[in-house]
PDB file of all heavy atoms in Angstrom:
ATOM      1  N   SER E 819       8.949  -2.794   7.019  1.00  0.00           N
ATOM      2  CA  SER E 819       8.356  -1.763   7.871  1.00  0.00           C
ATOM      3  C   SER E 819       6.840  -1.942   7.972  1.00  0.00           C
ATOM      4  O   SER E 819       6.155  -2.119   6.957  1.00  0.00           O
ATOM      5  CB  SER E 819       8.662  -0.380   7.280  1.00  0.00           C
ATOM      6  OG  SER E 819       7.752   0.597   7.739  1.00  0.00           O
ATOM      7  N   VAL E 820       6.307  -1.861   9.180  1.00  0.00           N
ATOM      8  CA  VAL E 820       4.859  -1.978   9.356  1.00  0.00           C
ATOM      9  C   VAL E 820       4.145  -0.777   8.755  1.00  0.00           C
ATOM     10  O   VAL E 820       2.973  -0.866   8.350  1.00  0.00           O
ATOM     11  CB  VAL E 820       4.493  -2.130  10.850  1.00  0.00           C
ATOM     12  CG1 VAL E 820       5.025  -3.447  11.393  1.00  0.00           C
ATOM     13  CG2 VAL E 820       5.014  -0.951  11.672  1.00  0.00           C
ATOM     14  N   ASP E 821       4.818   0.365   8.674  1.00  0.00           N
ATOM     15  CA  ASP E 821       4.204   1.556   8.078  1.00  0.00           C
ATOM     16  C   ASP E 821       3.979   1.359   6.584  1.00  0.00           C
ATOM     17  O   ASP E 821       2.946   1.767   6.036  1.00  0.00           O
ATOM     18  CB  ASP E 821       5.086   2.783   8.307  1.00  0.00           C
ATOM     19  CG  ASP E 821       5.146   3.194   9.769  1.00  0.00           C
ATOM     20  OD1 ASP E 821       4.283   2.736  10.543  1.00  0.00           O
ATOM     21  OD2 ASP E 821       6.050   3.964  10.125  1.00  0.00           O
ATOM     22  N   ILE E 822       4.952   0.742   5.919  1.00  0.00           N
ATOM     23  CA  ILE E 822       4.785   0.440   4.497  1.00  0.00           C
ATOM     24  C   ILE E 822       3.721  -0.637   4.322  1.00  0.00           C
ATOM     25  O   ILE E 822       2.855  -0.542   3.450  1.00  0.00           O
ATOM     26  CB  ILE E 822       6.124  -0.002   3.880  1.00  0.00           C
ATOM     27  CG1 ILE E 822       7.121   1.164   3.859  1.00  0.00           C
ATOM     28  CG2 ILE E 822       5.919  -0.551   2.473  1.00  0.00           C
ATOM     29  CD1 ILE E 822       8.504   0.796   3.376  1.00  0.00           C
ATOM     30  N   ALA E 823       3.766  -1.648   5.173  1.00  0.00           N
ATOM     31  CA  ALA E 823       2.835  -2.770   5.045  1.00  0.00           C
ATOM     32  C   ALA E 823       1.381  -2.315   5.129  1.00  0.00           C
ATOM     33  O   ALA E 823       0.520  -2.777   4.376  1.00  0.00           O
ATOM     34  CB  ALA E 823       3.122  -3.812   6.124  1.00  0.00           C
ATOM     35  N   GLN E 824       1.065  -1.376   6.044  1.00  0.00           N
ATOM     36  CA  GLN E 824      -0.326  -0.972   6.208  1.00  0.00           C
ATOM     37  C   GLN E 824      -0.843  -0.201   5.004  1.00  0.00           C
ATOM     38  O   GLN E 824      -2.044  -0.180   4.728  1.00  0.00           O
ATOM     39  CB  GLN E 824      -0.490  -0.141   7.480  1.00  0.00           C
ATOM     40  CG  GLN E 824       0.045   1.279   7.396  1.00  0.00           C
ATOM     41  CD  GLN E 824      -0.246   2.079   8.660  1.00  0.00           C
ATOM     42  OE1 GLN E 824      -0.754   1.538   9.650  1.00  0.00           O
ATOM     43  NE2 GLN E 824       0.071   3.360   8.636  1.00  0.00           N
ATOM     44  N   GLY E 825       0.055   0.425   4.249  1.00  0.00           N
ATOM     45  CA  GLY E 825      -0.357   1.130   3.049  1.00  0.00           C
ATOM     46  C   GLY E 825      -0.602   0.199   1.877  1.00  0.00           C
ATOM     47  O   GLY E 825      -1.441   0.462   1.021  1.00  0.00           O
ATOM     48  N   VAL E 826       0.124  -0.908   1.847  1.00  0.00           N
ATOM     49  CA  VAL E 826       0.048  -1.824   0.709  1.00  0.00           C
ATOM     50  C   VAL E 826      -1.030  -2.885   0.914  1.00  0.00           C
ATOM     51  O   VAL E 826      -1.731  -3.267  -0.025  1.00  0.00           O
ATOM     52  CB  VAL E 826       1.415  -2.501   0.482  1.00  0.00           C
ATOM     53  CG1 VAL E 826       1.338  -3.521  -0.642  1.00  0.00           C
ATOM     54  CG2 VAL E 826       2.473  -1.444   0.169  1.00  0.00           C
ATOM     55  N   ASP E 827      -1.192  -3.365   2.139  1.00  0.00           N
ATOM     56  CA  ASP E 827      -2.105  -4.485   2.396  1.00  0.00           C
ATOM     57  C   ASP E 827      -3.566  -4.093   2.219  1.00  0.00           C
ATOM     58  O   ASP E 827      -3.969  -2.959   2.500  1.00  0.00           O
ATOM     59  CB  ASP E 827      -1.910  -5.005   3.823  1.00  0.00           C
ATOM     60  CG  ASP E 827      -0.573  -5.693   4.003  1.00  0.00           C
ATOM     61  OD1 ASP E 827       0.099  -5.960   2.996  1.00  0.00           O
ATOM     62  OD2 ASP E 827      -0.199  -5.960   5.164  1.00  0.00           O
ATOM     63  N   ALA E 828      -4.364  -5.057   1.764  1.00  0.00           N
ATOM     64  CA  ALA E 828      -5.817  -4.885   1.737  1.00  0.00           C
ATOM     65  C   ALA E 828      -6.339  -4.982   3.166  1.00  0.00           C
ATOM     66  O   ALA E 828      -5.839  -5.762   3.980  1.00  0.00           O
ATOM     67  CB  ALA E 828      -6.459  -5.956   0.868  1.00  0.00           C
ATOM     68  N   ALA E 829      -7.384  -4.177   3.481  1.00  0.00           N
ATOM     69  CA  ALA E 829      -7.981  -4.209   4.816  1.00  0.00           C
ATOM     70  C   ALA E 829      -9.383  -3.631   4.734  1.00  0.00           C
ATOM     71  O   ALA E 829      -9.573  -2.530   4.208  1.00  0.00           O
ATOM     72  CB  ALA E 829      -7.135  -3.415   5.804  1.00  0.00           C
ATOM     73  N   GLY E 830     -10.387  -4.361   5.255  1.00  0.00           N
ATOM     74  CA  GLY E 830     -11.756  -3.879   5.199  1.00  0.00           C
ATOM     75  C   GLY E 830     -12.198  -3.643   3.770  1.00  0.00           C
ATOM     76  O   GLY E 830     -12.146  -4.538   2.921  1.00  0.00           O
ATOM     77  N   ASN E 831     -12.625  -2.397   3.477  1.00  0.00           N
ATOM     78  CA  ASN E 831     -13.035  -2.043   2.118  1.00  0.00           C
ATOM     79  C   ASN E 831     -11.884  -1.526   1.266  1.00  0.00           C
ATOM     80  O   ASN E 831     -12.096  -1.113   0.124  1.00  0.00           O
ATOM     81  CB  ASN E 831     -14.138  -0.976   2.168  1.00  0.00           C
ATOM     82  CG  ASN E 831     -15.421  -1.519   2.775  1.00  0.00           C
ATOM     83  OD1 ASN E 831     -15.765  -2.680   2.557  1.00  0.00           O
ATOM     84  ND2 ASN E 831     -16.118  -0.679   3.544  1.00  0.00           N
ATOM     85  N   LYS E 832     -10.699  -1.519   1.826  1.00  0.00           N
ATOM     86  CA  LYS E 832      -9.527  -0.998   1.108  1.00  0.00           C
ATOM     87  C   LYS E 832      -8.844  -2.105   0.314  1.00  0.00           C
ATOM     88  O   LYS E 832      -8.494  -3.147   0.857  1.00  0.00           O
ATOM     89  CB  LYS E 832      -8.533  -0.386   2.104  1.00  0.00           C
ATOM     90  CG  LYS E 832      -7.228   0.089   1.480  1.00  0.00           C
ATOM     91  CD  LYS E 832      -6.256   0.553   2.550  1.00  0.00           C
ATOM     92  CE  LYS E 832      -4.886   0.876   1.973  1.00  0.00           C
ATOM     93  NZ  LYS E 832      -4.233  -0.300   1.382  1.00  0.00           N
ATOM     94  N   ASP E 833      -8.656  -1.882  -0.985  1.00  0.00           N
ATOM     95  CA  ASP E 833      -7.928  -2.839  -1.814  1.00  0.00           C
ATOM     96  C   ASP E 833      -6.433  -2.654  -1.599  1.00  0.00           C
ATOM     97  O   ASP E 833      -5.989  -1.665  -0.995  1.00  0.00           O
ATOM     98  CB  ASP E 833      -8.292  -2.624  -3.291  1.00  0.00           C
ATOM     99  CG  ASP E 833      -7.867  -3.803  -4.171  1.00  0.00           C
ATOM    100  OD1 ASP E 833      -7.416  -4.828  -3.623  1.00  0.00           O
ATOM    101  OD2 ASP E 833      -7.996  -3.688  -5.402  1.00  0.00           O
ATOM    102  N   GLU E 834      -5.662  -3.605  -2.082  1.00  0.00           N
ATOM    103  CA  GLU E 834      -4.203  -3.475  -2.002  1.00  0.00           C
ATOM    104  C   GLU E 834      -3.759  -2.205  -2.715  1.00  0.00           C
ATOM    105  O   GLU E 834      -4.205  -1.909  -3.822  1.00  0.00           O
ATOM    106  CB  GLU E 834      -3.527  -4.676  -2.665  1.00  0.00           C
ATOM    107  CG  GLU E 834      -3.719  -5.965  -1.914  1.00  0.00           C
ATOM    108  CD  GLU E 834      -3.027  -7.125  -2.611  1.00  0.00           C
ATOM    109  OE1 GLU E 834      -2.239  -6.878  -3.527  1.00  0.00           O
ATOM    110  OE2 GLU E 834      -3.302  -8.275  -2.238  1.00  0.00           O
ATOM    111  N   GLY E 835      -2.864  -1.484  -2.080  1.00  0.00           N
ATOM    112  CA  GLY E 835      -2.329  -0.274  -2.681  1.00  0.00           C
ATOM    113  C   GLY E 835      -0.989  -0.515  -3.324  1.00  0.00           C
ATOM    114  O   GLY E 835      -0.356  -1.563  -3.136  1.00  0.00           O
ATOM    115  N   ALA E 836      -0.536   0.456  -4.101  1.00  0.00           N
ATOM    116  CA  ALA E 836       0.797   0.382  -4.698  1.00  0.00           C
ATOM    117  C   ALA E 836       1.851   0.404  -3.604  1.00  0.00           C
ATOM    118  O   ALA E 836       1.684   1.057  -2.570  1.00  0.00           O
ATOM    119  CB  ALA E 836       1.002   1.550  -5.661  1.00  0.00           C
ATOM    120  N   GLY E 837       2.949  -0.305  -3.841  1.00  0.00           N
ATOM    121  CA  GLY E 837       4.017  -0.380  -2.856  1.00  0.00           C
ATOM    122  C   GLY E 837       4.833   0.891  -2.739  1.00  0.00           C
ATOM    123  O   GLY E 837       5.595   1.064  -1.791  1.00  0.00           O
ATOM    124  N   ASP E 838       4.665   1.805  -3.685  1.00  0.00           N
ATOM    125  CA  ASP E 838       5.355   3.091  -3.647  1.00  0.00           C
ATOM    126  C   ASP E 838       4.739   3.989  -4.706  1.00  0.00           C
ATOM    127  O   ASP E 838       4.001   3.523  -5.579  1.00  0.00           O
ATOM    128  CB  ASP E 838       6.852   2.911  -3.912  1.00  0.00           C
ATOM    129  CG  ASP E 838       7.702   4.081  -3.407  1.00  0.00           C
ATOM    130  OD1 ASP E 838       7.122   5.099  -2.959  1.00  0.00           O
ATOM    131  OD2 ASP E 838       8.935   3.988  -3.461  1.00  0.00           O
ATOM    132  N   GLN E 839       5.022   5.278  -4.626  1.00  0.00           N
ATOM    133  CA  GLN E 839       4.625   6.168  -5.703  1.00  0.00           C
ATOM    134  C   GLN E 839       5.585   5.986  -6.874  1.00  0.00           C
ATOM    135  O   GLN E 839       6.651   5.392  -6.729  1.00  0.00           O
ATOM    136  CB  GLN E 839       4.666   7.618  -5.248  1.00  0.00           C
ATOM    137  CG  GLN E 839       6.091   8.161  -5.044  1.00  0.00           C
ATOM    138  CD  GLN E 839       6.089   9.621  -4.669  1.00  0.00           C
ATOM    139  OE1 GLN E 839       5.306  10.037  -3.822  1.00  0.00           O
ATOM    140  NE2 GLN E 839       6.950  10.412  -5.293  1.00  0.00           N
ATOM    141  N   GLY E 840       5.213   6.495  -8.037  1.00  0.00           N
ATOM    142  CA  GLY E 840       6.152   6.448  -9.145  1.00  0.00           C
ATOM    143  C   GLY E 840       5.463   6.496 -10.492  1.00  0.00           C
ATOM    144  O   GLY E 840       4.239   6.416 -10.602  1.00  0.00           O
ATOM    145  N   ILE E 841       6.288   6.647 -11.519  1.00  0.00           N
ATOM    146  CA  ILE E 841       5.825   6.611 -12.901  1.00  0.00           C
ATOM    147  C   ILE E 841       6.538   5.467 -13.612  1.00  0.00           C
ATOM    148  O   ILE E 841       7.710   5.193 -13.369  1.00  0.00           O
ATOM    149  CB  ILE E 841       6.070   7.942 -13.629  1.00  0.00           C
ATOM    150  CG1 ILE E 841       7.559   8.333 -13.599  1.00  0.00           C
ATOM    151  CG2 ILE E 841       5.227   9.045 -13.019  1.00  0.00           C
ATOM    152  CD1 ILE E 841       7.889   9.575 -14.418  1.00  0.00           C
ATOM    153  N   MET E 842       5.801   4.781 -14.460  1.00  0.00           N
ATOM    154  CA  MET E 842       6.337   3.625 -15.189  1.00  0.00           C
ATOM    155  C   MET E 842       5.948   3.749 -16.651  1.00  0.00           C
ATOM    156  O   MET E 842       4.865   4.240 -16.983  1.00  0.00           O
ATOM    157  CB  MET E 842       5.777   2.304 -14.639  1.00  0.00           C
ATOM    158  CG  MET E 842       6.094   2.058 -13.192  1.00  0.00           C
ATOM    159  SD  MET E 842       4.884   2.899 -12.140  1.00  0.00           S
ATOM    160  CE  MET E 842       5.874   3.094 -10.657  1.00  0.00           C
TER     161      MET E 842
END
């Protein structure tokens, strides 16, 4: 999904984000 991809991918000043919420 492109919606998931835009949240995870680095862009501009944004670092890579977690692929989902959660506790580990």
